[in-house]
Amino acid sequence: TKQIIISITLLAVMVSFSFAQEAKTEIYLKYGATNEGKRQDSAMQKFRDNRLGVFIHWGLYAIPGGEWNGKVYAGAAEWLKSWAKVPSNEWMQLMSQWNPTKFDAKKWAVMAKEMGAKYVKITTKHHEGFCLWPSKYSKYTVASTPYKRDLLGEMVKAYNEEGIDVHFYFSVMDWSNSDYRYDIKSQEDSIAFSRFLEFTDNQLKELAARYPTVKDFWFDGTWDASIKKNGWWTAHAEQMLKELLPGVTINSRLRADDKGKRHFDSNGRLMGDYESGYERRLPDPVQDLKVTQWDWEACMTVPENQWGYHKDWSLSYIKTPFEVIDRIVHAVSMGGNMVVNFGPQADGDFRPEEKALATAIGKWMQCYGKAIYACDYAEFDKQDWGYYTRGKNGEVYMIVFNQPYSERLIVKTPKGISIEQASLLTTNENIVVVETTRNEYNVSVPQKNPGEPYVIQLKIRVAEGTKGVYKDALT
Ligand SMILES: C[C@@H]1O/C(=N\OC(=O)Nc2ccccc2)[C@@H](O)[C@H](O)[C@@H]1O
């Protein structure tokens, strides 16, 4: 009996321990996540509904375009200073050559509009420290170049006039500022970095004051230990901007919590207003459905890894328009945004390949944008033929990239949901739908192959009592 009592007691201890583990106790955080779940205010709704953005990476790095002292570096062109180990004062001499005579903000804005982009993210200051606005806190700005003009101000005005929202990319890491520290290892480091954070605050307040129509700050260059040891400042920067610009959105990449945890705090909560870790990669449509629980934005390059202008695009694979469109649709099908990157030339014009890409994307968005803008995750299981999105009135879109030889598109509907009718989005041609088994259908392909990724719109019916997002969507 003694043995039995001991083993039962041991078992009881183990079971209670595992329950305690399960109900993980929350860690108190001063600088953790500030909001629970997706923001539902109109500014965030607009951010989400925009879905397709343009990234503009433009700075001194566009002048050398990946080449230094006769050597071409295959790495990211906006990192050339680092690859070629150029001292900051030598690198900043490029300012004397900064004279984008072909720059025309209106042309840039029209190009984005014709692409179907609803917003643009502009590098106000990249890691090199060169400011596209005449900042009074730095000598490394457009004001000290032959060009002199406030490029950022002209861009904000032109994009806004085309109805395009403007977001600011801002690199905290600043290679031109001698107070920047990669880590804090001494009192001297700490004093210098405090000066640096004050300088950064001043530039952020300056940007907010000069360009109050800005809708978002996308922070970058925040991965170093120095920032992770100053999580308080990242929380302060978010709060400061939200007080200065009510409604402004802030990306998760800015944020570190009390313990240096980035993007998601030590309690697993997303910091900032949307997750910004999907850079040149996307969540898996089957394995990574967790991302549909929060807002997120992906960004992508057209070459493998060039954000700034690189003179030699033959060094890596260049994505075709349909490959870019696939990534845009992939992101939206999982409740995310996609930002496609353009690296303008030093002269202020875009390379022909980028102009052609913007045109091709725009042509497709003109026909099929209804399945992208203001659309979200449809909660249908992914199929091989492509992606689903869901519109605001509960309509489901099938975006077909891979038409099968069977000429039947398999659709498995969630429990309690059936397909009433299907039509080709562009022509309203009726598409035959045959139920093959419970919650499974064969959707026919269009009579004439559209010869491009196309969209079939489904009218679905929700059985009484079905839970999920659809109940409130149907009128
Ligand atoms: C958008 C890109 O952002 C960057 N860096 O991003 C990251 O470091 N991304 C990252 C880092 C760690 C994990 C996931 C993404 C920059 O260095 C680059 O020049 C470009 O501006």
Side-chain angles (χ1 to χ4, degrees):
T1 23
K2 203 170 165 210
Q3 283 298 338
I4 292 169
I5 291 165
I6 289 168
S7 53
I8 289 170
T9 319
L10 262 179
L11 188 67
V13 167
M14 278 160 62
V15 166
S16 57
F17 176 76
S18 68
F19 274 121
Q21 270 298 89
E22 276 303 298
K24 219 169 181 155
T25 39
E26 288 258 310
I27 300 168
Y28 171 70
L29 294 169
K30 276 181 80 176
Y31 309 117
T34 48
N35 46 307
E36 184 80 47
K38 295 182 184 180
R39 263 177 58 176
Q40 294 305 331
D41 57 287
S42 57
M44 189 70 210
Q45 195 58 55
K46 179 70 166 58
F47 174 99
R48 193 180 296 127
D49 289 353
N50 281 347
R51 287 306 186 208
L52 176 60
V54 154
F55 225 142
I56 294 285
H57 272 75
W58 202 32
L60 297 177
Y61 43 78
I63 296 169
E67 180 176 348
W68 197 261
N69 288 342
K71 179 176 175 2
V72 174
Y73 293 78
E78 71 282 0
W79 276 75
L80 179 63
K81 177 185 178 295
S82 177
W83 311 140
K85 298 182 173 43
V86 184
S88 224
N89 48 11
E90 184 183 347
W91 180 264
M92 284 326 208
Q93 283 165 28
L94 287 168
M95 284 172 58
S96 64
Q97 298 173 54
W98 181 262
N99 193 22
T101 50
K102 289 188 180 167
F103 173 72
D104 179 332
K106 169 100 175 148
K107 280 187 185 164
W108 285 30
V110 167
M111 180 174 154
K113 181 139 176 125
E114 288 177 354
M115 177 178 134
K118 299 294 183 187
Y119 66 106
V120 65
K121 301 185 99 96
I122 305 168
T123 51
T124 58
K125 180 180 83 169
H126 205 263
H127 312 329
E128 64 181 5
F130 177 63
C131 305
L132 290 185
W133 83 101
S135 173
K136 60 175 189 275
Y137 298 100
S138 168
K139 57 187 179 185
Y140 305 121
T141 83
V142 282
S144 310
T145 68
Y147 195 72
K148 296 199 184 321
R149 281 157 49 186
D150 173 5
L151 287 165
L152 188 61
E154 292 184 31
M155 284 188 244
V156 169
K157 181 172 177 295
Y159 281 115
N160 282 172
E161 280 171 358
E162 292 299 324
I164 291 173
D165 288 342
V166 173
H167 295 190
F168 284 167
Y169 165 109
F170 184 92
S171 176
V172 176
M173 175 174 73
D174 182 334
W175 294 329
S176 76
N177 189 309
S178 57
D179 284 335
Y180 184 73
R181 291 291 183 280
Y182 292 97
D183 198 352
I184 310 296
K185 292 199 165 129
S186 68
Q187 182 62 6
E188 193 278 333
D189 283 344
S190 190
I191 293 164
F193 202 62
S194 298
R195 273 199 308 269
F196 179 78
L197 292 179
E198 188 187 353
F199 154 76
T200 306
D201 277 353
N202 286 333
Q203 287 206 312
L204 292 175
K205 285 186 277 193
E206 185 179 49
L207 284 169
R210 290 179 63 91
Y211 314 108
T213 61
V214 66
K215 294 287 180 279
D216 171 86
F217 279 78
W218 197 90
F219 285 91
D220 193 19
T222 52
W223 47 78
D224 287 323
S226 53
I227 298 287
K228 293 197 275 195
K229 288 177 178 174
N230 285 280
W232 70 270
W233 176 78
T234 72
H236 146 77
E238 175 180 5
Q239 190 187 352
M240 175 180 77
L241 287 170
K242 288 186 170 178
E243 283 165 8
L244 290 170
L245 300 163
V248 77
T249 47
I250 303 289
N251 70 331
S252 62
R253 195 179 291 189
L254 163 67
R255 299 282 279 102
D257 72 2
D258 314 44
K259 301 174 181 313
K261 184 88 176 48
R262 296 185 62 229
H263 294 271
F264 291 85
D265 71 17
S266 303
N267 292 317
R269 291 209 180 86
L270 180 67
M271 295 184 280
D273 301 302
Y274 60 96
E275 207 248 310
S276 56
Y278 287 103
E279 182 195 300
R280 297 185 296 118
R281 65 188 179 97
L282 281 168
D284 181 90
V286 176
Q287 309 296 333
D288 298 326
L289 285 175
K290 64 181 184 301
V291 304
T292 60
Q293 295 164 57
W294 52 78
D295 283 305
W296 59 281
E297 178 193 71
C299 53
M300 64 172 288
T301 50
V302 180
E304 174 47 31
N305 184 19
Q306 292 297 339
W307 299 90
Y309 174 79
H310 195 292
K311 60 180 60 176
D312 186 353
W313 264 22
S314 71
L315 294 176
S316 78
Y317 180 70
I318 304 301
K319 297 173 193 72
T320 65
F322 284 171
E323 288 172 329
V324 174
I325 290 165
D326 183 291
R327 286 165 174 77
I328 295 168
V329 176
H330 181 154
V332 177
S333 77
M334 297 184 77
N337 285 18
M338 175 56 85
V339 189
V340 181
N341 184 72
F342 291 79
Q345 300 166 164
D347 66 3
D349 200 358
F350 289 88
R351 63 191 331 137
E353 304 96 318
E354 289 188 341
K355 288 179 182 173
L357 172 68
T359 303
I361 295 170
K363 193 167 149 281
W364 193 86
M365 291 301 289
Q366 197 89 38
C367 298
Y368 304 104
K370 200 170 167 222
I372 302 297
Y373 302 124
C375 288
D376 211 322
Y377 169 53
E379 294 185 61
F380 279 43
D381 292 345
K382 176 83 173 59
Q383 297 293 336
D384 292 342
W385 45 258
Y387 305 92
Y388 294 103
T389 62
R390 170 171 56 84
K392 285 211 187 309
N393 297 315
E395 73 279 16
V396 173
Y397 298 104
M398 300 167 61
I399 303 96
V400 182
F401 283 85
N402 317 302
Q403 182 162 300
Y405 288 110
S406 69
E407 300 203 330
R408 283 155 180 74
L409 305 169
I410 295 170
V411 173
K412 292 180 181 170
T413 56
K415 198 166 172 308
I417 292 187
S418 56
I419 299 177
E420 268 202 352
Q421 190 261 347
S423 54
L424 191 63
L425 183 68
T426 44
T427 63
N428 243 345
E429 169 193 340
N430 183 59
I431 297 285
V432 172
V433 179
V434 174
E435 186 173 16
T436 53
T437 182
R438 178 192 297 276
N439 289 101
E440 198 164 322
Y441 300 82
N442 276 351
V443 174
S444 307
V445 299
Q447 274 161 18
K448 184 173 171 300
N449 188 324
E452 62 183 8
Y454 59 85
V455 174
I456 289 173
Q457 178 168 344
L458 300 179
K459 192 167 180 298
I460 53 131
R461 218 179 68 74
V462 182
E464 265 314 301
T466 305
K467 63 179 182 31
V469 289
Y470 292 89
K471 257 177 42 165
D472 56 8
L474 291 183
T475 46

